[in-house]
């Protein structure tokens, strides 16, 4: 087995600088939301604003990179919060609490998601692929839970998956309007509605 070498020289420095800028942008947006300025981000790293464009040519490029980081960290949090042996759905519900700890990032997500419905939006491809990928993952998880009798099997798994994603996104928007809304508790209520009805014997449409 050959050892993989870490990047060296200018390439390594360039990679490290990009990481520093991305982390600074993540923290600035977490604090100020989309209002975070490029100058603030540059100041946090100690570079000039034009220098940012070497690594992120446009503001949209930087914002999308921040959202991608949010996805990665959110999945890591979900996996830890759910615990070993739990389903991906449990992790997604648990991650709603992570959302409330990062309001600036949540606002950025909602703002760009709405704008991305326009095919000309720079974020259109990101959100289209994100929803497609998430829906696929949740559908597969639901299909397995239907086979084991954990959730109701009288509705198509892909419909239930899309419904869950819609609930999570909708709760996020409601929470932004009213921070007193306990979105994690409501998400848990929704997942309980997915359980088979008592005495139903799982009648109805079986999982494909």
């Amino acid at each position: 087995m050959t050892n993989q070498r870490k990047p060296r020289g200018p390439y390594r420095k360039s990679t490290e600088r990009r990481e520093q800028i991305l982390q600074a942008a993540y923290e600035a947006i977490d604090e100020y939301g989309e209002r975070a300025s490029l100058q603030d981000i540059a100041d946090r790293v100690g570079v000039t604003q034009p220098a940012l464009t070497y690594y992120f040519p446009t503001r949209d490029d930087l914002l999308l990179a921040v959202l991608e980081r949010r996805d990665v960290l959110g999945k890591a949090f979900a996996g830890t919060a759910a615990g070993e042996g739990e389903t991906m759905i449990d992790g997604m519900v648990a991650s709603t609490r992570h959302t409330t700890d990062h309001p600036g990032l949540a606002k950025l997500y909602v703002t760009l998601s709405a704008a991305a419905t326009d095919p000309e939006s720079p974020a259109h491809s990101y959100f289209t692929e994100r929803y497609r990928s998430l829906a696929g993952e949740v559908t597969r998880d639901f299909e397995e839970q239907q086979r084991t009798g954990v959730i109701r099997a009288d509705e198509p798994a892909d419909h239930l998956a899309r419904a869950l994603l819609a609930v999570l996104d909708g709760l996020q928007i409601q929470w932004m309007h009213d921070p007193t809304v306990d979105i994690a508790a409501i998400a848990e209520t929704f997942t309980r509605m997915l359980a088979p009805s008592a005495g139903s014997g799982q009648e109805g449409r079986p999982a494909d």
Side-chain angles (χ1 to χ4, degrees):
M1 179 182 297
T2 58
N3 294 325
Q4 293 185 348
R5 296 180 179 179
K6 295 182 178 180
R8 300 178 62 184
Y11 178 77
R12 179 177 180 180
K13 291 181 179 179
S14 178
T15 301
E16 290 174 348
R17 178 63 76 189
R18 185 184 188 280
E19 173 61 25
Q20 290 171 353
I21 292 172
L22 180 54
Q23 182 61 30
Y26 183 92
E27 294 172 356
I29 292 173
D30 191 15
E31 186 174 353
Y32 298 111
E34 196 182 1
R35 296 173 305 175
S37 68
L38 292 179
Q39 188 59 59
D40 177 29
I41 296 169
D43 290 342
R44 291 176 185 238
V45 183
V47 300
T48 63
Q49 185 173 328
L52 295 181
T53 61
Y54 175 80
Y55 301 93
F56 301 96
T58 68
R59 179 180 174 82
D60 288 325
D61 290 329
L62 182 56
L63 295 180
L64 287 175
V66 168
L67 284 185
E68 290 173 352
R69 167 153 296 190
R70 177 181 184 259
D71 283 345
V72 170
L73 295 178
K75 285 184 177 181
F77 178 86
T80 301
E84 185 176 355
E86 299 295 332
T87 66
M88 181 182 66
I89 306 305
D90 297 316
M92 290 180 65
V93 172
S95 72
T96 57
R97 298 197 184 281
H98 184 64
T99 295
T100 60
D101 290 335
H102 300 278
L105 293 166
K107 185 174 182 179
L108 173 66
Y109 173 86
V110 170
T111 300
L112 290 189
S113 177
T117 57
D118 181 354
E120 298 300 319
S121 167
H124 181 74
S125 295
Y126 166 81
F127 279 99
T128 298
E129 178 54 35
R130 183 179 189 277
Y131 280 119
R132 181 184 296 116
S133 176
L134 270 178
E137 290 180 33
V138 178
T139 295
R140 289 188 291 273
D141 191 72
F142 272 158
E143 288 173 342
E144 177 59 28
Q145 292 187 66
Q146 286 179 329
R147 282 191 288 270
T148 57
V150 175
I151 67 170
R152 57 190 302 170
D154 58 337
E155 297 292 343
D158 58 331
H159 290 189
L160 296 176
R162 289 284 184 175
L164 174 64
L165 296 179
V167 167
L168 294 179
D169 274 6
L171 285 174
Q172 187 169 233
I173 294 173
Q174 291 184 49
W175 170 76
M176 290 175 61
H177 286 286
D178 180 3
T180 66
V181 176
D182 190 343
I183 61 177
I186 297 172
E188 290 171 356
T189 295
F190 178 79
T191 60
R192 287 193 291 272
M193 294 169 62
L194 298 175
S197 300
S200 66
Q202 287 286 12
E203 293 94 344
R205 184 197 299 245
D208 293 333

